[in-house]
Amino acid sequence: MVDLLAGLLPPFVWRLIVIVVQIVAIVLPLLIAVAYLTYAERKVIGAMQLRKGPNTVGPLGLLQPMADGLKLFVKETVLPTNSNPVIFIGAPMLTFFLALVAWAVIPFDQGMVLADINVGILYIFAISSMGVYGIVMAGWASNSKYAFLGGLRSAAQMVSYEVSIGFVLISVLLTVGSLNLSDVVLAQKKMWFIIPHLPMFFIFLISGLAETNRSPFDLPEAEAELVAGYNVEYSAMAFALFFLGEYANMLLMGAMTSILFLGGWLPLFDIAPFNMIPGPLWLFLKICFVMFIFLWVRATFPRYRYDQLMRLGWKVFLPFSLIWLVLTASVLTAFGWLPNQG
Amino acid sequence: MFTALIFYMFSAIVVGAGVMVISARNPVNSVLWLILAFFNSAGLFLLLGAEFLAMVLVVVYVGAVAVLFLFVVMMLDINQVQFREGFLQYLPTGALIAVVLLVELLAMVGGWAFAPDVEALIRAPTPTIDQATNIVALGKLIYTNYVYMFQASGLILLVAMIGTILLTHRSRTGVRKQVIADQVARTAKSAVLRKVQSGRGI
């Protein structure tokens, strides 16, 4: 049947169809995962605060995310009077688009990747560095003080933490000798990078929290001072797009942490009960683990003060990751462990 | 054919966005058009097979430089009418620069046409694409033949950075700053403890 269809259509059209199907196969589970991440967040934080969390809609409250989505879907989109309508509508779309498009290079298993490009790490870095525009544009176009302040804070914060994320990425890719994400995972067959690069793992995780505007670095949307930050003027689907984009970015951070430090799709040990579990499931479990840390942090730590946030980024993480990069390069050269590629 | 179509799409958007950068009334819109131009130039690099340059263009220009532009422009309180006033005055200078750039570009194209082996000379030190990806090729060139120039450009950036800090930094007096080391170094003895009577306050 498939061969027959492939024969009928010109090869170009056929390839296009295959790619579209692959994209849907990535985006659909991703959106479901985003929906249930919000559910997991409320349940986990509920448990940590001795509450029950959502438990009314559906069995165990499992339909709660659907109900929330439906609510946002049927609400009215409000355009503030003096806003810039094109940018105002464009900002959430950009955020959502960027959150999805980064998943194109994430390898779910050996060869199971939409675009196996040789600059995968840089691509992710480029896309995540563009994520700030959605928030800044939203803050500016809303024509509101709170939204504007939220947008500015977010811009400064994301640019600061991107620098140390960059150095962490360079340390890892020095050890791998390739920017392809599949190569990064395969290089961890003997030892996950969390062991040699343990401090970098923590820096990456914390910078990831700052990069995705998560608590304790959620200053752009600090309720106490900015009402809700950059998205205060947004309602209905426009708000939902921000929300989905933000959670998809969190999942992306989880996936990146898993791929860079926790061995991606590789099993914990390469022995019988572990290597029978398929690769994508391993990746899923690792992402769940990182997501749990994200939620755990949110339930545990109070919000950072803004100057402390900047101090942590520029005066602690940046020098430390720079020193670690030099150390990595020195150790690799001294012991002759430099990967020989190309 | 398909590649040519995509090339024309990218270059048309770059040129269109470039025109919009200088003609947009609102400076914030100008910066956003500039970002669109950067992004599509990255697309052109991708078409050339220079994926490293494309990604670096997006990371550096879109992800960092333009964010700072936007950051500054958003906070400026610009009177848009005043902003346009000197337009005709600056036009001759702008046109002159444009002519210089055009002549240089034409000279480049001329060099291409008159000396066909120029391209071969440029390509000589780089291995072909099937031997090494262009990141590896670039790294092998930059860190061997051109290492001094690479270091020199790094030094220039460092000097620029120090200069900027020196020019903008002013030490203000009377500002309370948090010194983390002092806080951490405090002991129970150096802490000030006071008994507060109820209903009195300090």
Side-chain angles (χ1 to χ4, degrees):
Chain A
M1 175 66 196
V2 171
D3 288 338
L4 189 74
L5 216 62
L8 279 177
L9 295 164
F12 171 70
V13 177
W14 178 245
R15 254 190 83 198
L16 201 71
I17 293 174
V18 170
I19 290 179
V20 168
V21 169
Q22 283 174 330
I23 291 173
V24 172
I26 292 176
V27 168
L28 210 60
L30 177 64
L31 290 182
I32 296 171
V34 165
Y36 278 93
L37 180 59
T38 65
Y39 172 79
E41 177 168 33
R42 295 168 69 176
K43 273 288 188 193
V44 166
I45 293 180
M48 286 179 182
Q49 296 170 347
L50 299 179
R51 294 182 286 112
K52 275 185 179 164
N55 62 352
T56 327
V57 189
L60 295 170
L62 275 172
L63 294 178
Q64 183 69 46
M66 306 298 156
D68 290 342
L70 192 69
K71 182 197 77 176
L72 286 172
F73 192 72
V74 296
K75 274 183 142 185
E76 183 196 354
T77 304
V78 181
L79 281 176
T81 337
N82 280 323
S83 66
N84 185 328
V86 178
I87 299 180
F88 187 81
I89 296 293
M93 285 158 77
L94 183 74
T95 305
F96 186 63
F97 167 74
L98 289 174
L100 293 187
V101 87
W103 284 85
V105 295
I106 298 287
F108 296 95
D109 202 344
Q110 179 115 41
M112 215 169 129
V113 47
L114 180 62
D116 198 16
I117 57 176
N118 61 3
V119 284
I121 293 181
L122 267 179
Y123 173 81
I124 296 264
F125 194 54
I127 294 294
S128 73
S129 69
M130 283 177 65
V132 64
Y133 285 112
I135 292 172
V136 174
M137 279 160 64
W140 182 77
S142 302
N143 202 15
S144 139
K145 290 189 194 81
Y146 295 123
F148 188 55
L149 283 173
L152 287 183
R153 276 188 183 185
S154 178
Q157 174 178 337
M158 288 170 92
V159 169
S160 311
Y161 279 83
E162 231 149 56
V163 185
S164 50
I165 284 188
F167 281 117
V168 174
L169 292 180
I170 296 175
S171 302
V172 169
L173 73 89
L174 257 181
T175 353
V176 180
S178 163
L179 278 88
N180 184 311
L181 286 171
S182 300
D183 288 347
V184 173
V185 173
L186 289 176
Q188 303 181 54
K189 271 209 161 148
K190 281 184 192 147
M191 187 201 290
W192 291 1
F193 285 153
I194 187 173
I195 300 169
H197 284 303
L198 185 67
M200 290 296 106
F201 170 73
F202 286 114
I203 287 190
F204 189 79
L205 203 63
I206 298 171
S207 302
L209 285 173
E211 185 77 6
T212 51
N213 295 326
R214 284 293 295 180
S215 162
F217 306 113
D218 52 349
L219 287 135
E221 39 197 306
E223 304 89 355
E225 19 185 322
L226 292 183
V227 191
Y230 65 90
N231 59 21
V232 68
E233 302 290 343
Y234 282 86
S235 57
M237 270 325 271
F239 176 76
L241 286 180
F242 269 126
F243 201 73
L244 291 172
E246 215 167 277
Y247 279 75
N249 271 331
M250 274 171 67
L251 285 170
L252 183 74
M253 266 298 156
M256 280 306 287
T257 317
S258 315
I259 287 169
L260 292 174
F261 295 101
L262 301 174
W265 69 76
L266 298 173
L268 188 56
F269 303 106
D270 202 7
I271 46 174
F274 291 111
N275 58 17
M276 281 157 71
I277 302 173
L281 194 61
W282 268 114
L283 185 65
F284 176 74
L285 289 175
K286 286 166 186 172
I287 294 177
C288 286
F289 170 70
V290 180
M291 284 302 103
F292 179 74
I293 298 180
F294 270 48
L295 305 181
W296 191 8
V297 165
R298 179 172 171 190
T300 314
F301 291 108
R303 186 174 292 136
Y304 255 63
R305 216 173 60 203
Y306 195 69
D307 60 322
Q308 290 173 332
L309 171 94
M310 282 296 156
R311 180 184 169 272
L312 186 72
W314 289 105
K315 292 190 178 170
V316 180
F317 282 180
L318 183 60
F320 188 65
S321 50
L322 197 59
I323 290 170
W324 190 266
L325 172 64
V326 174
L327 190 73
T328 310
S330 317
V331 167
L332 288 176
T333 323
F335 290 91
W337 290 340
L338 268 179
N340 230 345
Q341 296 234 345
Chain B
M1 206 271 300
F2 194 64
T3 323
L5 274 181
I6 293 182
F7 169 77
Y8 284 119
M9 185 190 80
F10 278 138
S11 21
I13 296 178
V14 171
V15 174
V19 171
M20 288 308 289
V21 171
I22 49 172
S23 62
R25 290 192 150 269
N26 193 328
V28 173
N29 288 349
S30 286
V31 178
L32 292 176
W33 283 112
L34 184 68
I35 293 160
L36 187 68
F38 281 149
F39 197 72
N40 282 284
S41 324
L44 286 176
F45 274 129
L46 271 187
L47 280 185
L48 280 173
E51 65 266 11
F52 180 72
L53 278 183
M55 292 301 154
V56 167
L57 186 75
V58 176
V59 170
V60 175
Y61 283 90
V62 180
V65 174
V67 172
L68 296 181
F69 268 6
L70 200 61
F71 205 86
V72 173
V73 166
M74 270 182 178
M75 287 197 282
L76 293 177
D77 186 21
I78 296 172
N79 185 341
Q80 286 176 15
V81 183
Q82 246 177 19
F83 195 58
R84 292 269 144 207
E85 256 174 15
F87 186 69
L88 278 177
Q89 203 183 330
Y90 293 120
L91 199 61
T93 328
L96 190 70
I97 294 173
V99 168
V100 168
L101 283 178
L102 184 69
V103 168
E104 282 176 353
L105 265 181
L106 285 177
M108 280 277 291
V109 175
W112 230 332
F114 297 130
D117 44 341
V118 162
E119 204 181 353
L121 277 177
I122 293 170
R123 277 168 185 265
T126 40
T128 51
I129 204 89
D130 52 303
Q131 280 171 4
T133 61
N134 64 44
I135 306 167
V136 176
L138 211 62
K140 281 189 173 160
L141 269 183
I142 289 179
Y143 297 112
T144 53
N145 296 4
Y146 298 100
V147 67
Y148 295 117
M149 301 214 206
F150 179 70
Q151 294 290 344
S153 58
L155 279 179
I156 291 171
L157 284 176
L158 184 68
V159 170
M161 193 168 83
I162 294 172
T164 320
I165 294 172
L166 200 70
L167 284 175
T168 53
H169 185 264
R170 59 198 168 103
S171 49
R172 284 174 291 181
T173 50
V175 184
R176 289 196 196 189
K177 266 192 182 161
Q178 182 183 26
V179 185
I180 306 262
D182 285 2
Q183 284 185 345
V184 175
R186 278 186 104 163
T187 55
K189 269 182 194 165
S190 66
V192 183
L193 289 175
R194 280 190 196 157
K195 268 230 151 32
V196 182
Q197 281 184 326
S198 60
R200 281 275 183 85
I202 299 176

